[in-house]
Amino acid sequence: GQQLNQSPQSMFIQEGEDVSMNCTSSSIFNTWLWYKQEPGEGPVLLIALYKAGELTSNGRLTAQFGITRKDSFLNISASIPSDVGIYFCAGLGGTSYGKLTFGQGTILTVHP
Amino acid sequence: EPEVTQTPSHQVTQMGQEVILRCVPISNHLYFYWYRQILGQKVEFLVSFYNNEISEKSEIFDDQFSVERPDGSNFTLKIRSTKLEDSAMYFCASKGYSNQPQHFGDGTRLSIL
C-alpha cells in the first residue's frame, strides 16, 4: 500500500526558531494535508494543498505540494510554546472517497 | 464552527465483548470515515462510508468490524468480539464533498482488558 515517510521524528527547539518538516512517498498523491494533534484531541487541519507546486500559508505556517506530487514540506516560522504537538502529513490518493494515508508524525517541543 | 463529536471519550471493555463507538459527523457532510491510532503510532485508515455503504476498507477492518449510519446524524463503529490488540484511539472523520479535507473528532480511547 501507499506509505509516507515523515521526518524528522522529533524536534526540540527554542522559542522563536523556525521549524521545517517534510514527507516523502514513492506514490503520487492528489492532495496533501497537514494536521496538528495535541494530547487527548483529534488531528486538526492546518493546511490543505491541492495542486503540484502549490505554496500555501496559514499565519506562521507555510506548506508546499511538491512538483513530483510525491512530497510536501511544512515550515513554522518564529515558533511559540503553543506550537507544541505532533504534526502529521497526510496524502490523498486517486479515489474520490478519500482514504488518507498518514505519516508517522513529527513531535515538536518548544522551549520558552 | 461545526465539529465532529464522538462518544464516549473513553471506553473500557473486557476482551471478547462487543463495543460500539459513536460519532456525530458535521451536519450536511456526505463522506464518513473511521481511523485508529495505536498509542505512539501513526493514524491508520479503517473504513470509508458514502451513500449508505462502505466505499473502501483496509486490511484491519475484518469481519469483526462493522459500521452503520442508523439515522441522519449518527455514524457508528462496532467491534463484535474485542481483542487486546484493538486497544487504540478511534477517530471518526467526515467531509462535505469529495475535494474537501476531512475533519476529525477528538476520538474514543478504547481499552481492552
Side-chain angles (χ1 to χ4, degrees), chain A residues 13-21 36 38 46-47 55-63 73-84 87 108 110:
Chain A
I13 63 171
Q14 291 290 328
E15 184 177 359
E17 289 184 11
D18 297 343
V19 169
S20 184
M21 59 193 79
K36 179 186 178 186
E38 297 187 34
L46 299 174
I47 292 181
L55 183 71
T56 296
S57 293
N58 178 7
R60 293 178 296 105
L61 277 60
T62 302
F73 72 74
L74 174 71
N75 288 342
I76 306 173
S77 63
S79 58
I80 59 179
S82 61
D83 290 333
V84 163
Y87 291 78
L108 179 62
V110 180

Side-chain angles (χ1 to χ4, degrees), chain B residues 12-82:
Chain B
V12 181
T13 301
Q14 290 287 333
M15 186 172 61
Q17 295 294 306
E18 174 183 287
V19 66
I20 297 176
L21 309 181
R22 303 183 190 277
C23 170
V24 179
I26 294 173
S27 178
N28 297 324
H29 277 193
L30 302 175
Y31 297 79
F32 313 109
Y33 307 85
W34 283 101
Y35 293 81
R36 80 170 186 191
Q37 185 179 32
I38 294 172
L39 186 64
Q41 297 186 22
K42 66 180 180 180
V43 178
E44 300 175 289
F45 169 78
L46 292 178
V47 66
S48 59
F49 191 87
Y50 171 74
N51 201 23
N52 288 318
E53 61 182 16
I54 291 174
S55 47
E56 191 172 0
K57 58 185 181 179
S58 71
E59 315 81 61
I60 303 168
F61 194 89
D62 61 22
D63 291 345
Q64 293 301 310
F65 290 84
S66 63
V67 289
E68 259 194 338
R69 187 156 162 81
D71 52 43
S73 60
N74 291 285
F75 181 51
T76 62
L77 174 69
K78 183 194 294 186
I79 309 175
R80 282 192 240 313
S81 178
T82 50

Side-chain angles (χ1 to χ4, degrees), chain A residues 1-4 31 33 35 37 40-45 47-48 50 86 88 92 95-105, chain B residues 31 33 35 37 40-45 48 50 55-56 58-59 89 91 95 97-107 109:
Chain A
Q2 295 174 313
Q3 294 216 355
L4 293 182
T31 300
L33 305 168
Y35 289 89
Q37 186 179 28
E41 298 182 7
V44 174
L45 181 69
I47 292 181
Y50 298 103
I86 305 176
F88 289 99
L92 177 61
T95 70
S96 64
Y97 301 116
K99 163 192 166 182
L100 287 179
T101 300
F102 279 80
Q104 301 96 322
Chain B
Y31 297 79
Y33 307 85
Y35 293 81
Q37 185 179 32
Q41 297 186 22
K42 66 180 180 180
V43 178
E44 300 175 289
F45 169 78
S48 59
Y50 171 74
S55 47
E56 191 172 0
S58 71
E59 315 81 61
M89 283 289 289
F91 292 106
K95 69 177 184 180
Y97 297 101
S98 61
N99 61 348
Q100 291 181 330
Q102 296 172 31
H103 293 270
F104 286 76
D106 282 340
R109 179 174 300 284

